[in-house]
Amino acid sequence: MQLFQFRRKGIVQLGLRFGQQTGAFGINFTDTLQAFQREALGREQPAIHRMEVFLDEYLDLGTLVGQVMAFFTNYRRKETLLIPDEPEILPPLQQPGKILCIGKNYAKHAEETGSKPPKSPIYFDKVADCIIGPGDTINMPRDFGRVDPEIELAVVIGKPGFQVHRDQALDLVAGYTILNDVTARDLQTKAKDQGNPWFASKNYATFCPLGPAITLKEYIHDPHDLEMVLSVNGEVRQEENTSQMIFSIPVLIETLSHQLPLRPGDIIATGTPHGISPLEDGDTLELSIQGLGTLQNSVRAI
Ligand code: MG
């Protein structure tokens, strides 16, 4: 069960994919939720067009989506709620409150960057203005030098929490998506050498491809057992299982929420595995994570 954002006739809407039942691309979740509220609950409510708003208003997503789908299954005019063919897919979140990223969370990746595995999580942030969606182009300034893609499992927060213990941490999670932590490697190395923050190397417009959808956590058996593959022009560069993460998702949530409240829509990128390599003008990237789909982007040197 995957939630996504799409645009049709200039309007952003929420969509839901749930396998092949409909013969359509998916269902218009914005319209279906509104029909459910009107006809099943007797409430007229404004349509929800943004994932951030949806996550903020509905904290128990698994239950709600189940109820809405049961309504859809028995709805007389369900064809009016379908998305007949592939729409323009947008990133599943465009203005998350925070994008928190974990560095060196896979031992072989720490090794390839010349460092030891960290003793506690290392974190930094990316800003929302870097987000692009499936099919969009990553712009690579020529004066940046080397720029690398980094495939990462991204956790989407669905419930607020502050100073959460690891045992309760997964309660905060709404679902998972794919994030490409594009990194200007030469700028990062220079910053590290000079003892400066990594910010500039991690934050350039288009350096955060995200998507294609949020798979609800109820449909992921174990987020610590997902195969992930990044290929460039069809050649595999990164291939690893999320079981190799050093700090698990509950530990990351405990650590990050100790310092900052986590809120619905926040994203935690859990780190990249080994196999980092530079991009070139004209490259086509495919990032796939088991159960989450494939995020495809192209690269342009500017
Ligand atoms: Mg990274």
Side-chain angles (χ1 to χ4, degrees):
M1 196 78 82
Q2 292 190 305
L3 281 164
F4 58 96
Q5 288 193 136
F6 68 103
R7 181 160 41 211
R8 182 157 277 163
K9 295 178 184 163
I11 299 171
V12 177
Q13 303 186 71
L14 301 182
L16 183 79
R17 299 194 77 179
F18 57 106
Q20 306 303 318
Q21 297 95 310
T22 61
F25 183 80
I27 71 167
N28 183 321
F29 192 72
T30 294
D31 289 349
T32 307
L33 177 61
Q34 206 179 25
F36 165 74
Q37 288 164 331
R38 185 179 59 241
E39 302 197 16
L41 307 181
R43 290 204 305 250
E44 282 292 343
Q45 286 187 230
I48 293 181
H49 290 270
R50 296 275 177 178
M51 194 75 75
E52 287 86 347
V53 175
F54 177 62
L55 292 175
D56 204 37
E57 291 203 9
Y58 295 96
L59 301 183
D60 188 0
L61 285 197
T63 305
L64 175 75
V65 171
Q67 289 170 339
V68 175
M69 289 315 299
F71 166 81
F72 172 80
T73 305
N74 298 312
Y75 191 57
R76 287 165 289 111
R77 297 186 298 123
K78 55 163 80 86
E79 67 284 353
T80 63
L81 300 175
L82 294 176
I83 305 167
D85 40 38
E86 187 162 351
E88 181 194 354
I89 305 285
L90 302 173
L93 292 154
Q94 291 170 299
Q95 289 296 323
K98 299 188 268 305
I99 309 170
L100 301 170
C101 303
I102 309 301
K104 302 177 195 168
N105 201 23
Y106 287 80
K108 282 195 250 173
H109 171 62
E111 199 177 297
E112 75 182 340
T113 63
S115 0
K116 291 203 171 82
K119 298 232 176 345
S120 56
I122 295 171
Y123 47 91
F124 57 92
D125 69 329
K126 281 173 107 81
V127 301
D129 300 271
C130 297
I131 291 177
I132 57 172
D136 291 342
T137 301
I138 300 167
N139 288 323
M140 199 171 63
R142 291 181 197 275
D143 60 359
F144 273 20
R146 175 175 165 169
V147 173
D148 299 355
E150 295 186 354
I151 186 170
E152 306 200 8
L153 171 67
V155 177
V156 178
I157 297 295
K159 287 182 191 169
F162 183 51
Q163 300 186 336
V164 178
H165 189 273
R166 65 188 68 181
D167 292 347
Q168 278 84 49
L170 288 178
D171 291 347
L172 267 57
V173 175
Y176 303 93
T177 188
I178 305 169
L179 184 147
N180 184 354
D181 175 20
V182 179
T183 302
R185 196 68 65 197
D186 288 344
L187 297 190
Q188 187 190 32
T189 305
K190 194 169 152 197
K192 279 186 195 168
D193 290 348
Q194 295 176 345
N196 290 330
W198 300 353
F199 188 85
S201 68
K202 294 286 188 178
N203 286 282
Y204 181 78
T206 75
F207 271 21
C208 190
L210 187 74
I214 299 170
T215 300
L216 297 181
K217 71 171 171 190
E218 288 80 5
Y219 299 87
I220 294 293
H221 174 63
D222 181 0
H224 302 101
D225 184 17
L226 301 176
E227 291 293 333
M228 49 182 170
V229 179
L230 177 146
S231 57
V232 180
N233 307 325
E235 177 200 323
V236 173
R237 301 264 180 96
Q238 291 183 287
E239 190 170 19
E240 187 57 281
N241 190 287
T242 55
S243 62
Q244 298 306 303
M245 256 181 226
I246 299 172
F247 302 107
S248 68
I249 295 164
V251 171
L252 297 177
I253 289 174
E254 181 180 270
T255 304
L256 295 167
S257 77
H258 183 75
Q259 184 126 357
L260 289 168
L262 297 176
R263 301 181 195 282
D266 286 351
I267 295 170
I268 301 172
T270 57
T272 204
H274 67 285
I276 53 168
S277 65
L279 291 171
E280 287 181 22
D281 185 35
D283 281 347
T284 299
L285 282 168
E286 279 196 353
L287 286 70
S288 299
I289 300 184
Q290 202 180 342
L292 307 186
T294 299
L295 174 61
Q296 191 179 65
N297 297 97
S298 52
V299 178
R300 179 174 56 198
I302 57 169

